[in-house]
Amino acid sequence: MSDLPLDQVKAYLLDLQARICDALAEEDGAASFREDSWQREQGGGGCSRVLTDGKVIEKGGVNFSHVFGAGLPPSATAARPELAGRSFQAMGVSLVIHPYNPYVPTSHANVRFFVAEKEGEPPVWWFGGGFDLTPYYGFEEDVVHWHRTARDACAPFGDDLYDEFKAWCDDYFYLKHRDEPRGVGGLFFDDLNRFDFDTCFALMRSIGDAYIPAYRPIMARRKDTPFGDRERQFQLYRRGRYVEFNLVYDRGTIFGLQSGGRTESILMSMPPLVRWDYDWHPQSGTPEAELYRDFLIHREWL
């Protein structure tokens, strides 16, 4: 195997998982994450931590996985066919938080590391990840805070990095069949090896560490906002978009399923309740219409 410091990457990811779970459980105040360790028959395993039916979080999952095998699955070599047939290791933390209150946005974050190896050749490695926000009712101060935190996480590594990763996020989290963004974006990056290993690892850590400072203040600000059945039903309708994206486009979901990962952990990102209404459109002048008009658009927030 390679001389890359894989143990350091793994230790960081496990610590990140624990810190995120502790912070979110503290903010929820009524429930904690239960832990579920698992093994993958083809090699590796992971630890899923799930919180359900909390005071604030209806369902949240924070998953760590470290899997390896003799050959990369098709989803990992589609854009890089020269890697086909290489052995691989992949490790990462992926999370999705679905709050109960419709005024608290859903959030997603992921940081990951891949290395592909072939005897007699140097290893090919890369980092990826990011975080994005999916509100049901839009508040500009929340979205600006989210993007400001994202910008600050990227700032030590280059003046243009936030703009690049923000645009990548806007393009990636886009439902082509709906012709609409999934949410208000954030950061997304993949195949990151343009710097040396230590710098790329530091950038991944900076983005991973920024998730709680980006999300927790929004959760705290909105979690006690009164709401009724109208807001709840709209939240369930919009959650359908989340399901559609994850099953049709999400690279992590596709990679997990193609690589023989644990289905329960791969699909823990799904919301507990969701609805689809045929050909529904928001009524003009309503807060629901405002979400589409002012927030579900490609926009510069800073």
Side-chain angles (χ1 to χ4, degrees):
M1 299 301 290
S2 71
D3 294 328
L4 295 169
L6 303 185
D7 288 346
Q8 293 181 27
V9 179
K10 185 172 183 177
Y12 166 75
L13 292 169
L14 286 167
D15 179 66
L16 178 67
Q17 180 191 37
R19 287 188 284 118
I20 288 174
C21 289
D22 288 347
L24 291 175
E26 183 177 47
E27 192 62 48
D28 183 274
S32 58
F33 285 85
R34 65 179 179 90
E35 188 171 303
D36 180 19
S37 297
W38 51 275
Q39 296 295 316
R40 176 177 173 268
E41 184 177 344
Q42 299 91 330
C47 174
S48 299
R49 300 184 67 178
V50 179
L51 187 156
T52 56
D53 298 324
K55 180 180 179 182
V56 182
I57 299 171
E58 187 171 13
K59 180 186 177 187
V62 186
N63 188 51
F64 166 80
S65 62
H66 177 197
V67 301
F68 47 87
L72 282 159
S75 62
T77 60
R80 304 178 71 174
E82 72 276 8
L83 299 182
R86 283 180 174 246
S87 63
F88 76 96
Q89 291 195 58
M91 61 181 76
V93 167
S94 181
L95 67 95
V96 178
I97 305 300
H98 293 290
Y100 180 64
N101 191 316
Y103 288 102
V104 182
T106 284
S107 68
H108 160 261
N110 171 265
V111 285
R112 57 192 179 272
F113 173 72
F114 280 78
V115 58
E117 298 184 282
K118 186 176 182 180
E119 189 173 353
E121 298 186 19
V124 178
W125 56 265
W126 65 95
F127 291 90
F131 49 71
D132 66 287
L133 194 70
T134 306
Y136 305 99
Y137 291 89
F139 296 91
E140 187 156 338
E141 66 174 315
D142 293 351
V143 184
V144 169
H145 165 78
W146 179 262
H147 279 274
R148 184 179 293 123
T149 309
R151 179 200 61 194
D152 293 348
C154 295
F157 303 92
D159 294 338
D160 299 328
L161 214 55
Y162 162 74
D163 292 333
E164 177 187 347
F165 289 176
K166 187 240 184 235
W168 202 342
C169 187
D170 288 342
D171 291 340
Y172 179 68
F173 291 105
Y174 192 81
L175 289 89
K176 300 178 183 66
H177 62 287
R178 296 283 190 181
D179 193 26
E180 67 183 43
R182 186 172 82 172
V184 295
L187 301 173
F188 181 85
F189 68 100
D190 205 358
D191 301 319
L192 178 72
N193 57 12
R194 71 180 72 171
F195 312 118
D196 61 75
F197 180 91
D198 288 343
T199 304
C200 290
F201 184 23
L203 173 56
M204 187 265 273
R205 295 198 307 270
S206 183
I207 290 174
D209 292 344
Y211 167 73
I212 285 296
Y215 185 55
R216 187 172 178 177
I218 299 172
M219 178 183 285
R221 189 182 298 133
R222 305 298 169 194
K223 66 182 183 180
D224 295 321
T225 304
F227 68 93
D229 186 64
R230 171 193 177 121
E231 291 85 359
R232 176 65 168 167
Q233 294 305 314
F234 181 62
Q235 177 197 48
L236 299 185
Y237 172 75
R238 288 298 309 172
R239 280 179 176 177
R241 302 294 206 266
Y242 214 93
V243 173
E244 291 173 21
F245 182 89
N246 277 22
L247 293 181
V248 176
Y249 300 113
D250 186 73
R251 294 182 187 178
T253 302
I254 295 169
F255 173 84
L257 295 174
Q258 288 184 349
S259 63
R262 182 173 182 260
T263 302
E264 283 300 308
S265 297
I266 296 165
L267 298 182
M268 72 175 188
S269 62
M270 297 302 173
L273 294 172
V274 64
R275 62 180 293 164
W276 280 268
D277 295 319
Y278 179 74
D279 199 29
W280 182 87
H281 300 280
Q283 184 178 352
S284 178
T286 62
E288 293 79 14
E290 182 181 323
L291 177 76
Y292 287 85
R293 186 190 70 224
D294 296 340
F295 291 88
L296 296 182
I297 56 175
H298 286 173
R299 176 176 167 185
E300 300 304 319
W301 290 98
L302 301 182

